[in-house]
Amino acid sequence: MTDKTYPPTDAMAATAHADKVTYDAMYAHSIADPDGFWRDEGQRLDWITPYTRVKNTSFAAGNIDIRWFEDGTLNVAANCIDRHLATRGDQTAIIWEPDDPNQGAEHITYRQLHADVSCFANVLKAMGVGRGDRVVIYLPMIPQAAYAMLACARIGAIHSVVFAGFSADALAARVNGSAAKVVITADEAPRGGKNTPLKINADKAFDKITTDTAMLVVRRTGGAVAMKDGRDHWLHEMEGQVGNDCPPEPMNAEDPLFILYTSGSTGQPKGVVHCTGGYLVYAAMTHQYTFDYHDGDVFWCTADVGWVTGHSYIVYGPLANGATTVMFEGVPTWPDAGRFWQVCAKHKVNQFYTAPTAIRALMGKGEGFVAGHDLSALKVLGTVGEPINPEAWHWYNDVVGLGRVPIVDTWWQTETGGHLLTPLPGATTTKPGSATLPFFGITPVVLEPETGREIATTEAEGVLCITDSWPGQMRTIWGDHDRFEQTYFTQYPGMFFSGDGCRRDADGYYWITGRVDDVINVSGHRMGTAEVESALVAHRAVNEAAVVGYPHDIKGQGIYAYVSLMAGEAPTEALRKELSEFVRGEIGPIAKPDLIQFAPGLPKTRSGKIMRRILRKIAENDFGALGDTSTLAEPEVVDDLIANRMNRV
Ligand code: 6R9
């Protein structure tokens, strides 16, 4: 680890929304008087009925109840579109950069966005969708993905975006879980020069969808698809039948805006629920301060709208701020590893936000792909999704930013709605690998994992909790408020438990050390090991499976699966391949195990619990220090696991 620190330049401190003095003062105010602080910040939105109450939140056992601005009404789409029309109707709202660099980019103005979203909203209405109804969005990174989200918001429907890389089964589970009225998909999803047959995936999902659900299909490539009479509708045909006038529905601040499923430590993904008022205030404010966004800037977040990062920092935060936001359909390495930098140069991107895994992948291809692209418009570089290793940080800083562009390493989660720990470009001296300091209103604490006692000294290492609510916090798990309390508020009562471990250094800076639960982070994507295990045991040849993460140069963590087979099944290379493909089919390509070790048995305690600690060590190729194995029922299985280990780095 390097000790060098990177203070904001004088020029940045002078022009930024916050310099250090402002940050310190605002942070102190936000903690001393949350009600007053957020009463003012709430004014960044247009309210139909102004709120009189600001914060009404309880983390008390048996009464987890989180409300912000609870008597106010507003509409998210009106805040992201309509209110900008008078001043910036002709400004570009969305720059859409398609997968194929030879197909020109599209510039969608706020006025066009207003028309397209209103029309889309009328299509949904014509399909019977109204306030509170759920709509699943299973789309590639095309403008219609943003239109669909905003159209739902406009009519008060709750969207649930499912990443287009998820399988038919994963899609079906999410549609059934929320009893969605409509699934929106496209004929095909082009990525990296290849087309994924999205409509065919959706058709397969419908074999397992048990709710009364229709399908709305966007024509992206024109590839041939089969339409089922009565169930499937083309968007362009429906659009011809409705008008462009759709008044925004007044919603209560606490009405759900969206559900987004995310992995936890058990097999079932959780439907994280975010609401209308607090979420938008927080997404807009973090977008403005963390990226030091100014009017006229072009902002690019490379995430997919299937993840929370795409929700908050492609769609809602930027559009609430009247920004120009870039939506990119492609991948970082196609047609070559210069694609990101070519797009940055082409659209004169001012703030660029990506994941460490992408930086590591591009770093491996060499500096030549960056050189030659004019990146002089860049003012801020951001990262998110996993800890950034110092090598990747320095490459980002030196090669992409040429040492002149501040890096914001933003720590947050699907659950938090927006950034919780992050530097501000004009205020915070950065340290490579640290997400630095809390955002306004955020009260982090470090606890002893075993006792839950707060470690009050500045230097501390333990688990990261947040003691009080902030407006962007999730409100519940869809259909299961008990699980919400169980997951986040029970292990350390009275606080929100992040699931992450962290260290706080002598300067009070936070360093995230990774998940402390059975969640792994593969290329910045959250994956419950239990989900991969359930997929594996669903295969006829598999008796038992245990999945752990192991260090991976590009992905951060790779997926290592230990599999014991049913009697009579032979551990062949062909079966290994088949199992990998099987998991891909059950969940999606991101869940495909990198390494599968066939094991005659898994190490278990006498009470039958799989000892994951040991499996992690072996997967890390660190079997010299297995720790206490005396409670194992059959210690000899460990010798076999070590002898046949797959990761020999
Ligand atoms: C936004 C997002 C959340 C988990 C989180 C943590 C990891 C995210 C990070 C980071 C270190 C950062 N994480 N940002 N770890 N430094 N800057 O990624 O949401 O998909 O819910 O994942 O990702 O482990 O708990 P989500």
Side-chain angles (χ1 to χ4, degrees), residues 309-326:
T309 306
H311 283 60
S312 299
Y313 301 112
I314 295 175
V315 179
Y316 290 119
L319 295 179
N321 289 336
T324 297
T325 182
V326 178

Side-chain angles (χ1 to χ4, degrees), residues 262 308-309 384-387 409-415 500 512 515 521 526:
T262 192
V308 74
T309 306
V384 58
E386 55 180 313
D409 175 354
T410 62
W411 175 82
W412 60 297
Q413 310 177 302
T414 307
E415 291 86 341
D500 278 314
I512 302 297
R515 301 288 306 192
N521 193 324
R526 265 168 82 161

Side-chain angles (χ1 to χ4, degrees), residues 260 262-263 307-309 313 353 356 383-388 408-416 418-419 421 433-435 498-501 511-517 519-521 524-526:
L260 187 56
T262 192
S263 297
W307 313 116
V308 74
T309 306
Y313 301 112
Y353 190 33
T383 84
V384 58
E386 55 180 313
I388 182 163
V408 290
D409 175 354
T410 62
W411 175 82
W412 60 297
Q413 310 177 302
T414 307
E415 291 86 341
T416 72
H419 310 141
L421 297 174
S434 170
S498 67
D500 278 314
W511 301 73
I512 302 297
T513 50
R515 301 288 306 192
V516 296
D517 51 12
V519 171
I520 54 180
N521 193 324
H525 301 314
R526 265 168 82 161

